[in-house]
């Protein structure tokens, strides 16, 4: 009888396979527990060269000729990789739109990797296709899109790209009966314009560039004091563009801007989009999760009017990276992406009603990420997820109050979601000095591992940012962080007398 030489390395029912499987799985779970479970700082504080040196000490050769002993391997992975990772579960890890993942979703990742289904065709996925379709259908109900449809994506970048891609196809067909996929760009397409606020994510410009429209096609609209798109300026710019013989075709709203979490005035924008015949896309990569909250879902009212929507699950749906969805109000618009490949989804299969999702995506091989959200929803229930969102928004309000009352803090806006932009300030330090202190606060918190917070610029000045996605972060955690932050600032003032004017 012929022998299976590699049984031990793949999942099967032999003893050696199962032994190996549990050995790796248990060691992975234990390593994660050791370095990520409790009480550790939010970052090791090691510099890039220190991290590289530690990695190289443990892994002298990146492609060893022979494999290593598993126990040693996991010990070294723990010491040099997990030890130097950003600890997203830590309550003081509050920098970016990067969440602690839910335990059920982590377990789903194990299933996803083990099953290794690909969502492009039925014969690579079976039940996975049906699960994704059902989760998408639930999402269409959640966002009130009765004729909607959607597809899982790698995140906001891909979903925003898809929104603008379909907008381009849609307008080209309507204006010129032209299909850019087949014929390339229409000679008049240099007149096409996309409108968004100046706080919109950079993927608007990036998508415009990828779509052959050029960054020049993006018209930025200024924002109000809370960083929401100004409707007055939008109207003026639209009129101006038509007068200059330009062709505005897409209105891009943001429900939760990356820095401030501001939500553009969706109902008024939807109305204008309708009036001017524009494709209305809502980037709710960040703010989409408020729809889970009974208390706060009104904040994104108007999203149901969007032609297309971006939602990220790896932000406030607490899913491991990567996971997002692209939703369409009218499922017919997926026709612009439709394709049939003989080896994947021949037309005969479609005629027989065999589902395939490749014709809705810009990816071919695609992960079964829907299982993560499915398992999370089934184990927590929507209400618990919604109350996590509530907790973080309530915390942000409390923190904002603390900051407003602090004489050494200047808060830049009233938080809409759970991002807060602020800076340390001092009457006797000029703007340049304040910039320097705030940058150093960020660096020092990271170096000591006391907290991971973000920095950004507002009108050219240095600011700090807390993104309070973690529902386990408490007001006490933030009070400690703020004390630490001011302590760093006052130490700097003491050490560098030149900062005081
Ligand atoms: C508002 C917004 N849109 C889009 C994106 C891009 O999403 P992703 O990083 O998931 O591709 C981000 C990223 O943070 C974002 O904040």
């Amino acid at each position: 009888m012929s022998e299976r030489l590699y049984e031990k390395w793949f999942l099967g029912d032999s003893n050696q396979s199962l032994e190996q499987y549990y050995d790796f799985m248990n060691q992975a779970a234990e390593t994660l527990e050791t370095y990520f479970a409790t009480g550790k700082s939010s970052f090791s504080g090691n510099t890039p060269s220190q991290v590289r040196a530690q990695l190289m000490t443990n892994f002298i050769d990146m492609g060893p000729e022979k494999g290593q002993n598993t126990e040693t391997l996991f010990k070294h992975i723990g010491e040099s990789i997990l030890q130097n990772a950003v600890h997203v579960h830590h309550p003081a890890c509050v920098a970016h739109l990067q969440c602690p993942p839910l335990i059920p979703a982590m377990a789903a990742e194990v299933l996803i990797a083990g099953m290794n289904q690909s969502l492009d065709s039925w014969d690579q996925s079976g039940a996975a296709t049906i699960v994704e379709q059902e989760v998408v259908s639930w999402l269409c109900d959640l966002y009130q899109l009765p004729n909607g449809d959607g597809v899982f994506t790698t995140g906001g970048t891909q979903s925003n790209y898809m929104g603008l891609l379909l907008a381009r196809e849609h307008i080209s067909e309507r204006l010129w009966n032209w299909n850019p996929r087949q014929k390339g760009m229409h000679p008049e397409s240099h007149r096409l314009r996309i409108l968004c606020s100046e706080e919109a994510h950079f993927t608007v410009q990036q998508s415009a560039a990828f779509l052959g429209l050029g960054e020049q096609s993006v018209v930025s609209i200024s924002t109000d004091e809370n960083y929401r798109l100004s409707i007055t300026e939008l109207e003026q710019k639209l009129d101006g563009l038509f007068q200059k013989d330009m062709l505005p075709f897409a209105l891009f709203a943001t429900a939760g801007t990356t820095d401030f979490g501001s939500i553009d005035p969706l109902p008024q924008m939807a109305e204008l989009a309708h009036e001017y015949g524009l494709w209305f896309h809502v980037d709710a990569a960040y703010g989409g999760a408020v729809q889970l909250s009974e208390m706060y879902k009104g904040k994104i009212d108007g999203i149901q009017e969007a032609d297309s929507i971006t939602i990220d699950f790896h932000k406030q749906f607490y899913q491991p990276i990567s996971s997002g969805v692209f939703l369409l109000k009218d499922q017919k618009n997926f026709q612009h992406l439709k394709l049939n490949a003989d080896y994947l989804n021949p037309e005969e299969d479609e005629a027989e009603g065999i589902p395939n999702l490749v014709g809705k995506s810009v990816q071919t091989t695609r992960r079964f990420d829907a299982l993560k959200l499915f398992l999370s929803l089934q184990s927590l229930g929507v209400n618990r997820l919604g109350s996590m969102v509530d907790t973080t928004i309530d915390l942000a309000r409390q923190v904002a109050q603390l900051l407003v009352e602090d004489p050494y803090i200047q808060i830049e806006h009233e938080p809409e979601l759970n991002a807060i932009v602020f800076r340390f300030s001092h009457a006797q330090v000029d703007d340049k000095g304040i910039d320097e202190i705030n940058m150093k606060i960020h660096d020092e918190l990271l170096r000591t591992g006391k907290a991971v917070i973000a920095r950004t610029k507002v009108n050219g000045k240095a600011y700090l940012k807390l993104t309070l996605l973690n529902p386990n972060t408490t007001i006490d955690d933030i009070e400690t962080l703020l004390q630490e932050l001011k302590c760093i600032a006052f130490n700097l003032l003491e050490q560098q007398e030149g900062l005081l004017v």
Side-chain angles (χ1 to χ4, degrees):
M1 208 171 79
S2 56
E3 202 186 341
R4 294 188 209 284
L5 294 177
Y6 307 107
E7 229 172 13
K8 164 178 166 182
W9 293 104
F10 299 94
L11 191 59
D13 61 1
S14 71
N15 285 345
Q16 42 172 337
S17 163
L18 290 173
E19 227 169 77
Q20 178 86 322
Y21 170 68
Y22 282 111
D23 186 24
F24 268 84
M25 288 297 160
N26 290 337
Q27 298 221 34
E30 279 164 24
T31 310
L32 199 59
E33 181 192 328
T34 308
Y35 289 94
F36 265 60
T38 49
K40 303 281 188 305
S41 59
S42 51
F43 185 56
S44 68
N46 286 330
T47 61
S49 51
Q50 287 169 325
V51 172
R52 191 180 301 279
Q54 278 186 13
L55 188 72
M56 289 329 215
T57 313
N58 286 330
F59 299 95
I60 297 159
D61 189 352
M62 279 291 144
E65 276 185 27
K66 288 198 174 148
Q68 302 186 36
N69 160 285
T70 320
E71 216 166 298
T72 320
L73 196 52
F74 273 96
K75 182 172 173 293
H76 287 165
I77 285 180
E79 283 167 7
S80 49
I81 302 177
L82 278 84
Q83 166 77 9
N84 288 311
V86 172
H87 288 197
V88 292
H89 302 263
H90 194 283
C93 185
V94 287
H96 297 284
L97 288 162
Q98 182 184 18
C99 63
L102 291 167
I103 291 173
M106 287 161 60
E109 284 283 11
V110 176
L111 297 178
I112 292 166
M115 291 162 73
N116 208 27
Q117 305 295 285
S118 179
L119 274 292
D120 41 342
S121 68
W122 170 250
D123 64 1
Q124 295 178 88
S125 59
T129 288
I130 308 297
V131 172
E132 175 162 326
Q133 284 179 321
E134 289 305 315
V135 175
V136 163
S137 155
W138 176 78
L139 287 163
C140 288
D141 286 347
L142 183 70
Y143 292 98
Q144 301 167 55
L145 310 169
N147 298 315
D149 196 2
V151 70
F152 270 67
T153 64
T154 53
T157 303
Q158 191 181 341
S159 300
N160 284 347
Y161 170 77
M162 288 179 76
L164 292 171
L165 166 66
L166 293 194
R168 184 194 73 173
E169 307 308 81
H170 185 76
I171 191 72
S172 300
E173 187 177 84
R174 203 182 75 199
L175 286 182
W176 307 304
N177 193 21
W178 185 269
N179 181 345
R181 247 173 80 180
Q182 286 172 356
K183 299 186 183 172
M185 300 301 280
H186 187 272
E188 290 298 316
S189 60
H190 62 276
R191 292 164 57 210
L192 293 173
R193 290 294 179 269
I194 301 164
L195 292 104
C196 62
S197 99
E198 57 195 11
E199 292 298 325
H201 195 256
F202 65 76
T203 43
V204 182
Q205 280 81 359
Q206 188 190 59
S207 302
F210 291 167
L211 289 167
L213 297 163
E215 291 182 6
Q216 57 99 34
S217 66
V218 181
V219 178
S220 290
I221 311 290
S222 64
T223 52
D224 64 15
E225 67 286 357
N226 273 318
Y227 299 93
R228 298 152 39 100
L229 174 137
S230 150
I231 289 289
T232 319
E233 189 179 319
L234 173 61
E235 285 174 322
Q236 285 164 357
K237 284 252 165 90
L238 274 169
D239 289 343
L241 287 169
F242 282 115
Q243 272 165 25
K244 283 193 225 143
D245 213 21
M246 295 294 143
L247 296 170
F249 75 104
L251 182 57
F252 186 102
T254 311
T257 59
T258 313
D259 266 350
F260 300 99
S262 318
I263 298 170
D264 285 341
L266 304 182
Q268 289 108 304
M269 289 176 81
E271 230 171 85
L272 281 173
H274 188 68
E275 187 183 329
Y276 287 87
L278 312 174
W279 182 278
F280 185 39
H281 180 85
V282 177
D283 175 359
Y286 174 13
V290 297
Q291 195 72 6
L292 299 168
S293 152
E294 275 309 313
M295 191 145 44
Y296 293 118
K297 66 178 171 198
K299 282 180 181 286
I300 57 168
D301 184 40
I303 195 168
Q304 68 280 7
E305 304 301 331
D307 292 298
S308 54
I309 302 175
T310 291
I311 313 279
D312 266 2
F313 303 125
H314 56 221
K315 293 188 167 60
Q316 214 167 353
F317 281 75
Y318 303 110
Q319 300 297 300
I321 296 165
S322 60
S323 183
V325 77
F326 172 69
L327 296 176
L328 266 181
K329 184 181 182 175
D330 183 352
Q331 53 184 275
K332 282 206 291 295
N333 283 315
F334 268 129
Q335 76 193 0
H336 296 297
L337 290 180
K338 188 172 166 7
L339 65 83
N340 286 99
D342 287 340
Y343 81 102
L344 281 179
N345 62 338
E347 279 176 276
E348 305 87 77
D349 271 16
E350 271 181 41
E352 282 180 41
I354 297 176
N356 78 81
L357 302 182
V358 71
K360 292 181 188 171
S361 178
V362 293
Q363 287 175 259
T364 308
T365 302
R366 194 161 57 79
R367 281 169 56 88
F368 182 20
D369 284 319
L371 186 66
K372 296 188 280 201
L373 185 59
F374 174 78
L375 190 52
S376 305
L377 290 168
Q378 295 298 326
S379 43
L380 277 87
V382 178
N383 291 351
R384 191 173 284 125
L385 263 179
S387 59
M388 287 182 182
V389 175
D390 295 345
T391 304
T392 63
I393 297 179
D394 295 343
L395 175 67
R397 288 183 175 179
Q398 275 179 284
V399 174
Q401 193 54 38
L402 274 184
L403 297 177
V404 166
E405 287 164 8
D406 193 316
Y408 293 104
I409 299 285
Q410 183 191 329
I411 180 164
E412 185 48 28
H413 65 130
E414 207 179 300
E416 184 77 64
L417 297 173
N418 40 38
I420 309 179
V421 178
F422 66 101
R423 66 189 206 146
F424 175 83
S425 90
H426 192 293
Q428 283 168 276
V429 183
D430 63 15
D431 263 352
K432 199 165 152 279
I434 291 294
D435 278 357
E436 192 181 325
I437 292 173
N438 281 286
M439 296 304 267
K440 286 196 172 148
I441 289 173
H442 165 271
D443 297 350
E444 191 60 9
L445 286 172
L446 191 65
R447 192 190 64 76
T448 56
K450 298 230 162 97
V452 184
I453 68 171
R455 67 206 145 157
T456 188
K457 284 208 168 139
V458 181
N459 298 325
K461 293 181 184 166
Y463 276 77
L464 300 170
K465 179 172 86 152
L466 306 179
T467 311
L468 302 169
L469 287 193
N470 186 342
N472 285 318
T473 299
T474 65
I475 190 72
D476 290 349
D477 294 320
I478 302 299
E479 275 179 352
T480 310
L481 191 163
L482 292 174
Q483 275 161 16
E484 203 60 55
L485 180 156
K486 283 190 287 181
C487 195
I488 296 171
F490 287 117
N491 280 344
L492 279 168
L493 285 172
E494 230 176 79
Q495 287 156 16
Q496 283 176 254
E497 276 175 21
L499 285 169
L500 291 168
V501 288

